[in-house]
Amino acid sequence: MPDLADQLNMYLASLAESRGFSRSTAESYARDLKAFAAAMRAQGIGDAAQVKPHHIAAYLAGLRSAGRAPASVARAASGIRALFRHLAADLKAIGSDPAAHVRPPKPERKAPRILTEEEAARLLESPDPQGPSGLRDRAMLELLYATGLRAGELIGLDIGDVNPALGYVRCAGADGRERFVPLGKAAAEAVGRYLAEGRPLLVRPDKPERALFLSLRGERLTRQGFWKLLKKHAAASGLEGVSPHTLRHAFAAHLVAGGADLRAVQEMLGHKDIAATRAYAQLKRQSLKTVYESAHPRAR
């Protein structure tokens, strides 16, 4: 029976023709598979029938631990799966496919960029509140930091979705689920002033618009438009790497640091799974409104 090296060479010989790969792709697959075969030989595995799922999983995990890029590990996994699928399904050279359910290890999540409270305050105070666009920008930034909304949720708000007097925001996530998030004092004041002094100057009398945040043309502000404004104010504040999600991370991290319960933060962020929120910490449970007012640095 051919050993793993012979089986691999036969597979590689037909790879470019049967799969239609480019030369560079075929060479990359060949390097990946030869490295895999060498690793198996080092463990005393000389035939494909001897390879088990845990051998493949351990090999891919080793690549990741060695610092290989996620895309590189994924390509190696794809090549190994293709090889064993060919040996099992096409050639019937092995009884079962050991790579059928093996996936490359998930890359570790990088820690999100978290603004300090001082950096967040500097960013929020960057817009000049003397004109309508400055009032609008200040209200948007305060609202993002006060509620943890996503950029799409922010620009999707209509006038009736925010109640500064009662202190809440109603928004619908991408999945259509509606949630209510408390609105702190600083954000409520900024939104209230924008509604009273800024938005009326942006509205076009001949073109009524339900959107809360308007462009200078009197239309709903776009996601791209908001990104540009945020980038401008971040630069003016001396901050780099700031995105709408940066303020969402700051909202959650500062709440947790102030003593907020993780489930409360999950509810306010609209996370379906607590695992998505767990990155911010594990803390004791309190009521949602109490948590917000006592923990968020700009709610008081």
Side-chain angles (χ1 to χ4, degrees), residues 1-2 4 7 45-52 84 87 93-96 98:
M1 178 179 291
L4 180 57
Q7 292 165 324
I45 299 173
D47 188 88
Q50 297 175 289
V51 178
K52 304 300 179 187
F84 283 99
L87 294 174
I94 55 177
S96 61

Side-chain angles (χ1 to χ4, degrees), residues 14-300:
S14 62
L15 188 60
E17 296 180 5
S18 62
R19 297 288 294 274
F21 286 156
S22 67
R23 180 177 177 180
S24 61
T25 300
E27 289 176 348
S28 295
Y29 265 67
R31 284 194 300 270
D32 291 339
L33 290 172
K34 287 179 179 178
F36 170 72
M40 294 301 101
R41 282 197 304 272
Q43 299 179 54
I45 299 173
D47 188 88
Q50 297 175 289
V51 178
K52 304 300 179 187
H54 69 270
H55 293 133
I56 301 172
Y59 174 74
L60 295 175
L63 294 181
R64 190 76 181 99
S65 299
R68 292 278 291 273
S72 178
V73 179
R75 187 190 66 207
S78 176
I80 293 169
R81 286 198 299 269
L83 168 64
F84 283 99
R85 185 167 56 246
H86 174 68
L87 294 174
D90 299 336
L91 300 183
K92 310 297 182 183
I94 55 177
S96 61
D97 182 353
H101 303 293
V102 174
R103 295 294 181 271
K106 293 183 179 180
E108 295 181 2
R109 288 186 176 183
K110 293 183 179 180
R113 163 85 156 99
I114 302 295
L115 297 175
T116 65
E117 291 185 20
E118 185 276 331
E119 288 175 330
R122 201 162 73 233
L123 175 61
L124 271 53
E125 293 164 5
S126 172
D128 182 359
Q130 299 307 311
S133 60
L135 289 170
R136 176 202 60 201
D137 295 358
R138 178 66 176 269
M140 286 192 298
L141 295 178
E142 288 279 6
L143 194 56
L144 267 189
Y145 180 51
T147 62
L149 296 186
R150 302 173 179 89
E153 295 171 341
L154 179 77
I155 63 174
L157 292 174
D158 291 332
I159 295 180
D161 293 329
V162 180
N163 192 318
L166 296 181
Y168 74 84
V169 177
R170 177 184 62 200
C171 74
D175 58 1
R177 292 191 306 160
E178 186 176 80
R179 70 183 189 277
F180 290 81
V181 184
L183 190 62
K185 181 180 178 181
E189 290 178 351
V191 173
R193 187 177 175 191
Y194 163 68
L195 287 172
E197 305 174 24
R199 192 179 184 280
L201 299 178
L202 296 174
V203 173
R204 288 175 50 182
D206 62 327
K207 191 176 182 181
E209 176 60 67
R210 296 169 52 199
L212 175 61
F213 295 114
L214 303 177
S215 69
L216 295 179
R217 295 191 299 273
E219 301 169 347
R220 185 183 296 274
L221 192 68
T222 65
R223 186 189 298 266
Q224 293 78 10
F226 174 64
W227 263 92
K228 290 180 181 178
L229 296 173
L230 178 60
K231 184 177 180 180
K232 178 184 74 172
H233 294 304
S237 304
L239 300 173
E240 297 181 354
V242 174
S243 72
H245 238 64
T246 304
L247 282 171
R248 180 171 164 86
H249 289 316
F251 160 81
H254 295 172
L255 273 177
V256 170
D261 168 54
L262 205 61
R263 290 289 181 181
V265 178
Q266 176 192 6
E267 184 176 343
M268 287 185 275
L269 288 173
H271 285 161
K272 288 183 180 180
D273 189 346
I274 188 64
T277 319
R278 192 166 286 125
Y280 299 108
Q282 291 282 2
L283 296 169
K284 62 182 181 180
R285 191 177 186 113
Q286 301 175 37
S287 71
L288 183 61
K289 186 71 172 177
T290 301
V291 163
Y292 185 86
E293 292 178 344
S294 65
H296 198 284
R298 296 182 76 84
R300 301 180 291 278

